[in-house]
Amino acid sequence: LSGAYDRIKDALYVLKFGERKAVVAIEELAAERLSPEIMASCDVSPGKHDKDALLLRIYETSPDSLRTIFLLEKIHKKGFAQMSLNGAPDRTTESWDDHLTVDNVQDILNRFDQDRRDGRVSVCKEIVPRNDRKMVFIRMEEKLEIFSRDGKSVPGYVPDWVILDFAADGRNVRLSSITPVSSVDIANRIASSFYGRDCKYTNGVE
């Protein structure tokens, strides 16, 4: 009985998580993580899926996938600026995929935060492969505000979710952020660390 209770409790938490999540984000991850047979078992009519059924199936396969849904949903709610890298040299000693890791990006963000010298912290939350590209999700502390917590006023930062959607070789990027100057700077630093020289993205795609 205790095992059944735990499963029911988990299911309730999962359904609560999915209440305001976009169906398109859940369907996108489900198509990647679930078999066609499992996807079909979640149909309520031809071509239409039961969102809750998909969400529970995804959770059963990998509980950590809920975090990916949380991140993927953001790309469906934001606009993206197209930028390209001009004059980048060829790089043969290391692949872009091998270079673009959470650890490497976090090292770059640590140096970025040190250069800002204002105590704000940037964190690379995840890198999600998508359509032969890699999407880097970064949570930046941006705007200082006062929050109410337990009846007290507490200072804190409103986060900016920076999304860098890199092409397979890093030569172009789709960028989404409320702070474009900082996010372009981060993209430039990532490209520069890979190509071993100062690189800058400019508007448009070649």
Side-chain angles (χ1 to χ4, degrees), residues 129-145:
R130 184 172 184 260
N131 299 331
D132 296 325
R133 301 172 69 91
K134 278 197 170 184
M135 305 194 74
V136 180
F137 290 87
I138 299 167
R139 188 182 188 276
M140 293 175 55
E141 292 180 340
E142 192 51 43
K143 184 180 178 183
L144 182 63
E145 289 193 1

Side-chain angles (χ1 to χ4, degrees), residues 105-122:
V105 172
Q106 189 58 56
D107 286 342
I108 292 167
L109 292 176
N110 292 342
R111 293 192 292 272
F112 169 80
D113 289 339
Q114 290 172 4
D115 290 342
R116 291 204 293 185
R117 298 181 180 180
D118 56 13
R120 289 179 292 175
V121 176
S122 308

Side-chain angles (χ1 to χ4, degrees), residues 23-24 26-27 30 36 38-54:
V23 176
V24 63
I26 296 172
E27 289 181 334
I38 293 178
M39 288 282 291
S41 72
C42 298
D43 286 353
V44 293
S45 62
K48 184 176 181 179
H49 300 102
D50 183 302
K51 183 179 81 169
D52 290 343
L54 286 178

Side-chain angles (χ1 to χ4, degrees), residues 1-10:
L1 289 177
S2 62
Y5 172 78
D6 289 340
R7 289 194 296 273
I8 293 172
K9 184 177 66 175
D10 288 349

